[in-house]
Amino acid sequence: MDKSELKLWYRQPAKNWVEALPIGNGKLGAMVFGGIAQEQIQINEETLWDGRKFDRHNPKALEALPKVRQLLFDDQNEQAAKLAAETMLGNPCRIDSYQTFCDLNLKFSGLTNLDTETIDYRRELDLDTGIATSRYQFGNISCQRDVYISAVDQVMVIHILNDTTVNFQVWLSREQDAQATEINDTTVGLVGQIGSKGLHFSSHLHVLNTNGEISTNKDGRMIIQSATECTIVVSAATSYINQDDTSADPAKICKQILSKLTGSDENRLRQRHLTDHQNLFRRVEIELGKDPGLPTDERLRILQNGGDDPQLFALYFQFGRYLLMGSSRPGSLPANLQGIWNNHLKAPWNSDFHTNINLQMNYWPAEVCNLAECHRPLFDYMQNLVHEGQRTAKIHYGAKGWTVHHLSDIWGFTVPADGIWGIWPVGGAWLCQHPWEQYIFGQDRQFLREVAYPLIKGGTEFMLDFLIPAPEHTAVAGKLVTNPSHSPENQFRKKDGTISQFTYGATMDLQIAHDLFTNCLSAISEIQQDDASFEIEFQSDVSDALSKLAPLQISPETGRLQEWIEDYDEPEPGHRHMSHLYGLHPGCQITLRNTPQLAEAARKSLDYRLSHGGGHTGWSRAWLVNFFARLEDGQLAYQNLLDLLTRCTLPNLLDTHPPFQIDGNFGGTAGLAEMLLQSHNDAVHFLPALPVDWPTGRVAGLRARGGFTVDFSWANRSIEYAFIKAQKAKICQIRADRHLTVKDRSGEMINSQVVDDCTVSFSAEAGNEYQIQ
Ligand code: FUC
């Protein structure tokens, strides 16, 4: 993709927030509207959350657990639900919201008759530079405004450049609970607190350079006169240090950040920002078609009306990578339900960390899309949940290890939230898939030992204790099951007609346990290569439990994969969650080649969900792309990606649940990657789910499990060439739509073993690149 094509652009300013353009550095985020006489930039700082830490454990939970379990095994689901609701929820079971920080306002004087006098307006977000620009001609004045957020300097930079002098005012505002103040001749600020007990926060706005005249007033407004050029920098901070410590001094932090810029200029700030941004962003290139040279909103409309624009999918994919870089950088919190971009004080679902799919989906693209560093905040976050998660495991379940239920916040919330569907203690176990994925993609043994394994072990210890053998009179007598259990947020109808959602051994739980135990065992074997006696005893406990897990079941009646331990009827057959297909994606217990019958049953489950209106939310649609990619059905994967773009995407390309929720962007990006490249099944598989609409294309810099980085192109829907680079010495198995030969960099054939018509394997050496033809 030509660098000039890596842009979202528009012919008009944003009329509302969902048209504004996101910028961010993991810690600070902003939405740029691109106004003409008046500009609004809505700012976020990732730690500005309402609430505080306190003990929400329910002392009644553990005592009620055996009774609840018995009732569920005895088919008394509703009695169990009632007792659990009274005893097992967090106390209280609600969390508070992540909040908008403030608005930055810019008001230019003397610009009237905008509609008639403004010409050549263009607003764009350049993904390659991370800079949002508005450009227009007003009368005889040309104006340009660039806005970016630097991860190196931790500031937002606004660079204003006009070819005639202009006068304007700039100030920060947050009406509810903050005050704008004057700080010095070139700096104004904002200071506030959430409620009387919440976080303190502060933001400083400073003119770094201008050729105009600056003055400030007591209301915290900065007035710039007769300037053709002006660079404004903004810092923001809160008193949050971690869940136990909120004693930071935000004004001091803001000042320190700005004082580091003394003597710098916009050019240097921009260069530092570009080097950092492009080091991550430019690792992956993709081409699926030609850029039609139209504004992004028009391209979306054309697609909605049945037009063709393969390259818009490529832009959407790169935008997903860009969003991950903007909302999750080393040292930051992970991307929440809205990434980092939120204009509410009380956001939808509190813009929280939802752990029954949403937080995980945010990170599906991280490894394959070559942004492994951006995955790290999730592991830091998990480590910070462990302490409370261990208490929850012990107090609520009498178990070792750590757990988190279906949502969390920045205060170490790990107890069941909201209602009985919140009594779902396998959120932590699902999260444990992520550090393992980082290891298999990156092959960093030290990371495995120090970060991944301790998290996975704690998750596994909890699961081992939480699982119990199903009693004699049940469908899976003697097998290990979870209890209590849910298939996230879905309900079932029992034979007697009653509807419930509370059960034991829901399929998803069994698949999560399977995945966790399998990964834990693989992690132990990897570490044993350096240390043969590592975890021998624990290893045997885990393999024993794995062999006793209740099996996945195919309904004899419908041929679908059962969502629950019993073949219940579904009152909402088009439900947005497709939890029982976890084993197909993101897990890999179900594959076309190893478990064809289960794969067929999974497909039937998908068909059934879809024929009843499934996939209606953004993230749900994005999950479908991944499922069909794993089923190697390029057409259905494409159809769902198309639906994601045409039905669940806002004019600024952000996903809409509705309302805006970022998981669909990340799930869609991961899904597209999954259509082009898979590696979960012991082979690097090129083009496993290529749709007819992308007959020709090229991608570079994607990563595959095993420590490989690949570039490849295709024509007439068949692989043309590929390059594969190995980080470690490894046996590399590659698969495509035809027989492949392997050569070294100089074109010499190397020894490879033919596995089948389309699969060969060879021994890759560390640091070497191979040509595949
Ligand atoms: C899950 C989903 C909802 C929503 C919420 C944030 O609970 O079922 O659709 O995405 O997370």
Side-chain angles (χ1 to χ4, degrees), residues 206-209 258-269 272:
H206 168 69
V207 175
L208 189 68
N209 306 106
L258 295 185
S259 67
K260 288 194 190 131
L261 306 182
T262 314
S264 203
D265 58 30
E266 204 274 324
N267 203 15
R268 268 182 273 179
L269 284 176
R272 285 201 285 266

Side-chain angles (χ1 to χ4, degrees), residues 364-428:
W364 289 353
E367 299 296 328
V368 61
C369 293
N370 216 334
L371 293 172
E373 298 90 331
C374 299
H375 211 169
R376 293 289 173 112
L378 183 65
F379 314 139
D380 295 342
Y381 182 73
M382 289 167 70
Q383 287 173 327
N384 288 328
L385 285 181
V386 165
H387 183 256
E388 282 305 302
Q390 283 170 337
R391 294 188 64 223
T392 306
K394 195 160 169 220
I395 299 169
H396 279 237
Y397 303 101
K400 287 206 292 290
W402 70 281
T403 183
V404 55
H405 290 76
H406 88 297
L407 58 84
S408 191
D409 59 11
I410 63 164
W411 305 111
F413 186 96
T414 50
V415 296
D418 293 350
I420 57 148
W421 63 95
I423 308 171
W424 184 79
V426 298

Side-chain angles (χ1 to χ4, degrees), residues 355-361 364 382 402 404 424-435 463 488 508 512-513 515-516 519 577 579 582 585-587 623:
T355 42
N356 66 1
I357 184 154
N358 320 81
L359 178 60
Q360 291 90 342
M361 183 177 277
W364 289 353
M382 289 167 70
W402 70 281
V404 55
W424 184 79
V426 298
W430 183 345
L431 284 171
C432 285
Q433 187 187 60
H434 285 257
M463 191 62 93
M508 179 185 234
I512 289 177
D515 192 45
L516 176 68
N519 296 342
H577 286 264
S579 308
Y582 173 99
H585 184 277
W623 203 359

Side-chain angles (χ1 to χ4, degrees), residues 152 252-253 601 615 682 752 759 772:
V152 187
K252 197 169 153 198
I253 300 172
D682 291 333
S752 58
T759 316
I772 319 284

Side-chain angles (χ1 to χ4, degrees), residues 337 349 354 356 358 406 489 576-577 617 619 657 661 663:
L337 279 176
W349 286 283
H354 241 71
N356 66 1
N358 320 81
H406 88 297
E489 305 187 30
R576 61 194 179 285
H577 286 264
T617 69
W619 63 261
H657 181 288
Q661 197 170 290
D663 39 21

